[in-house]
Amino acid sequence: MGWFDRAAKDYRRIGVEEQCEVLSLLGDIAVGEDGPTAHLHAVLGLSDGTTRGGHLLEGRVWPTLEVIVRDSAAALAKIHRPEPGLALIDPE
């Protein structure tokens, strides 16, 4: 998991070192400079009932993860924006 630090123009990592449940997973898949790129936000449920949330930077699935992906009529494309230091969806 990660939180985007605007001043550093990079993600601060939020460690999750235990098996957890995906409580929510939302985002988009847009075409970037290197092909399709996922931008996902997640809320994870930990074994003690607490949660961790933020950008899903990486993960491993066990035993399953059920995901529904819906196609959009609008073609989403991302371009790098120097000011925030991120690739963001191009509104054009």
Side-chain angles (χ1 to χ4, degrees), residues 47-87:
S47 62
D48 64 358
T50 61
T51 59
R52 297 273 168 80
H55 294 267
L56 183 62
L57 301 178
E58 62 182 282
R60 291 179 195 86
V61 173
W62 184 92
T64 64
L65 176 65
E66 295 176 0
V67 178
I68 296 172
V69 178
R70 293 188 179 176
D71 191 13
S72 171
L76 299 178
K78 290 189 179 191
I79 59 171
H80 183 77
R81 306 277 187 197
E83 191 275 320
L86 291 170

Side-chain angles (χ1 to χ4, degrees), residues 1 3 6 11-12 14 17 26 28 30 34-35 37 39 45 47 49 57 59 64-66 68 72-74 76 87 89:
M1 302 294 292
W3 176 80
R6 186 176 178 180
Y11 289 94
R12 286 191 196 172
I14 302 167
E17 302 301 326
L26 299 169
D28 60 68
D34 297 325
T37 304
H39 181 99
S47 62
L57 301 178
T64 64
L65 176 65
E66 295 176 0
I68 296 172
S72 171
L76 299 178
I89 292 177

